[in-house]
């Protein structure tokens, strides 16, 4: 798939086929996050690829928006050190957003769907994943083949009109 087609085809997938995602594909998706831009090339992130069914089911309970993780063949947890100040927190969150989107596009390119989630219960998420107390499990990304329909460019996306969003020169 061309990059532009992957961007247009990406959507949040929260219903997955039971088919496992090959390790090589999971590694490629994680590598896309690893290659994402990072402020001053700090790369504060760590990624944990999870395929154990019991762990996926447990992770689905760390936030109300994470329920889809229970049925996903895999998930990727995005982890950062506990930020020392508000600026570091903002920069790390921005970097994680870029890493997340890079992973989503790489997955879409492979025909693999993704659905993101925040994490509310840090203690529980850390325990499930073995993450040290001085780190935050910031986001989870469910990964699997879409159960409802394949990924293909969306012709009429449910978005605000382009002309309403994009301004030229001034507001």
């Amino acid at each position: 798939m061309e990059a532009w087609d992957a961007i247009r085809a990406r959507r949040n997938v929260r219903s997955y086929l039971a088919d496992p995602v090959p390790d090589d594909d999971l590694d490629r998706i994680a590598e896309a996050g690893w290659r994402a831009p990072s402020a001053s090339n700090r790369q504060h992130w760590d990624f944990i690829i999870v395929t154990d069914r019991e762990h996926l089911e447990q992770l689905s309970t760390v936030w109300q928006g994470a329920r889809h993780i229970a049925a996903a063949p895999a998930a990727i947890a995005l982890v950062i050190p506990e930020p020392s100040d508000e600026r570091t927190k903002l920069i790390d969150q921005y970097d994680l957003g870029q890493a997340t989107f890079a992973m989503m596009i790489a997955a879409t390119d492979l025909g693999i769907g993704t659905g993101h989630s925040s994490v509310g219960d840090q203690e529980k998420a850390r325990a499930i994943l073995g993450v040290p107390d001085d780190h935050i499990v910031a986001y989870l990304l469910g990964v699997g083949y879409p159960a409802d329909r394949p990924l293909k460019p969306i012709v009429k996306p449910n978005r605000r009109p382009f002309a309403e969003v994009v301004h030229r020169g001034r507001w």
Side-chain angles (χ1 to χ4, degrees):
M1 185 178 295
E2 294 291 323
W4 182 240
D5 287 340
I7 289 168
R8 294 183 317 128
R10 193 223 58 85
R11 60 183 166 83
N12 288 328
V13 174
R14 291 193 168 84
S15 177
Y16 307 97
L17 297 176
D19 304 350
V21 177
D23 287 343
D24 286 347
D25 289 348
L26 290 170
D27 287 345
R28 184 171 179 163
I29 293 164
E31 183 176 342
W34 174 75
R35 289 179 175 271
S38 173
S40 300
N41 201 28
R42 294 176 328 164
Q43 306 170 57
H44 280 182
W45 52 52
D46 285 277
F47 309 128
I48 302 172
I49 298 172
V50 182
T51 57
D52 179 81
R53 176 64 31 218
E54 184 178 329
H55 288 157
L56 292 165
E57 289 172 5
Q58 291 171 354
L59 285 171
S60 74
T61 67
V62 300
W63 184 253
Q64 71 267 16
R67 289 186 291 271
H68 65 284
I69 301 295
I76 300 175
L78 292 88
V79 180
I80 55 171
E82 185 79 47
S84 57
D85 55 55
E86 192 61 27
R87 179 152 174 75
T88 300
K89 179 180 177 180
L90 288 171
I91 291 169
D92 286 350
Q93 293 297 319
Y94 188 83
D95 285 356
L96 286 178
Q98 294 187 96
T100 300
F101 193 67
M103 287 189 231
M104 290 174 149
I105 294 301
T108 301
D109 182 56
L110 296 167
I112 298 168
T114 55
H116 61 283
S117 170
S118 291
V119 175
D121 189 338
Q122 284 297 317
E123 219 172 280
K124 188 174 192 178
R126 284 186 195 112
I128 295 164
L129 298 169
V131 171
D133 288 342
D134 62 347
H135 283 65
I136 296 170
V137 182
Y139 304 107
L140 298 172
L141 191 61
V143 181
Y145 298 99
D148 55 351
R149 63 190 192 278
L151 297 168
K152 62 181 184 176
I154 300 166
V155 178
K156 293 183 180 182
N158 182 12
R159 312 303 275 175
R160 287 175 42 210
F162 185 78
E164 184 181 302
V165 174
V166 177
H167 309 273
R168 298 202 185 269
R170 294 179 52 103
W171 187 269

